[in-house]
Amino acid sequence: MSFVEEKIVSEQLGICAKIKTILEDRYGDEKPGYYIQTLGCQQNEADSERMAGLATLMGYRAVADPEDARLIFVNTCAIREHAEKRALSFIGEYKHIKDKHPDTIICVGGCMVTQGHRADRIKHSYPYVSFTFDTGAIHLVPGLVLSALRGEKRKFIISDKYEIAENIPTARSNNYMGWLSIMYGCNNFCSYCIVPYVRGRERSRRPEDIIKEAKEMIASGIKDITLLGQNVNSYGKDIEGITFAKLLKMICDLEGDFRVRFMTSHPKDASDELIEVMASESKVVPHFHLPVQSGSNAMLQAMNRKYTREKYLDTVRKLKAAVPHVSITSDIIVGFPGETEEDFEDTLSLMSEVRYDMVFSFIYSPREGTPAAKMDGQIPHNVSTERMSRLLKLQDEICLERNSRFVGETISVLCEGVSKNDPEMMTGRADVPRPVHFKGDPSMEGKILKVKITWADKYSLRGELV
Ligand code: 5AD
Ligand code: SF4
């Protein structure tokens, strides 16, 4: 396990103070704005909150419109082609801001530019981008901004050095729900996935650093903590004497009115010890995101998932037996190379058996540099889309059935604020990843309340305060 030296982090934080002085000279009392466009997963959202923390320390202020920003970050995702296209389209869109305000710094971070060929494309086709930085280089952002402010040569950082940088400030985007990254990277090399190439090998933060951050989050009023990692339940494999289950228990033992979730888990690491902690700790939300990817053993093997359909179903059975009200959700890939109609039907039958509360389904997207991109039997797009629509239809039916089980029940809901569609209604977040709407007033924001559910459809729940 390796950490960025403290000296390097404090040097970078020192640069923030330098930048602040430059900005005051340049812009006077009116702080210039910063804007972050985040694409992709929760890990990217957590990374963006670090970028926001650094930008704030440099003396920028958050703005809601990129037009008003003099520092724009695009935090990119590389998981599927669609995400990369969206990132390039945002970067393209921001050109006119640079044209109008040449003092704007546009920079690109995240998984897309951690790939050499993508960083090269930005370098050559987007000359107005000041710098790019890989996912292991967020702590170097202050130095990069300083050099851009001074008009120095453009920089394209691919450090390939994936270390843990502690003590980077965080500007959280939500007052009540917060991300807490506990580990980074992935060792699994699923054959379709770009993540291990762009986020490096698994590395766990020290338990004491995590507990310190959790305490700060609870003290600041955060009521819903999500422990994050690409492969969160393999936390601690690189540290003597700790497992993910033990860490989860340590967090539950902290004082305060909060609850805790975690994602994303790999089924092969869903241990009995973890299921026991979920069953016994009331602070752990009974929700398990357990991506299966496919219900066919042939596909699971080709995907290098390291479990079988039977083993997965066995874990699900154990989980349901130990945590009776558990919500299980999943990711599924449709149209993986070589997927036959029978393989796909195995996925549908697995979904029918598990009865997921929610499924995030994706059409397979070849990623340059991954083994699956070179496999025979790439599936035509029309076949994948037809399979996808059958999958969605089945999941819609299951979602409605799963949501309906709450009607008549009283559940805990964290109130997020006034509903966007109806000023008399409040919206909240329950154990299930579904919005809950109920009559209330803004004073309830940030509180965990009891709501009796009176109505459900496949997307949401409605109820009354108890
Ligand atoms: N194509 C389609 N979906 C993918 N995922 C990861 N890589 C790919 C790919 N190349 C999906 C998986 C993963 C989720 C985050 O994204 O289902 O669990
Ligand atoms: Fe990608 Fe597999 Fe790692 Fe998840 S476990 S990030 S799908 S390689």
Side-chain angles (χ1 to χ4, degrees), residues 333-366:
I333 296 178
V334 175
F336 185 80
E339 185 186 69
T340 62
E341 176 60 25
E342 290 72 43
D343 291 321
F344 176 64
E345 282 170 15
D346 283 348
T347 298
L348 296 182
S349 74
L350 181 132
M351 288 166 61
S352 296
E353 191 166 339
V354 176
R355 310 209 80 72
Y356 291 113
D357 279 72
M358 190 138 88
V359 165
F360 300 91
S361 45
F362 310 102
I363 289 181
Y364 168 70
S365 166

Side-chain angles (χ1 to χ4, degrees), residues 41 78-81 191-195 264 289 291-293 305 330-334 360-367 370 372:
C41 64
I79 199 98
R80 282 170 290 276
E81 191 185 358
S191 60
Y192 49 81
C193 187
I194 196 73
V195 167
T264 286
H289 184 58
V292 70
Q293 311 299 357
R305 287 293 286 177
S330 194
D331 295 344
I332 290 178
I333 296 178
V334 175
F360 300 91
S361 45
F362 310 102
I363 289 181
Y364 168 70
S365 166
R367 303 285 69 210
T370 62

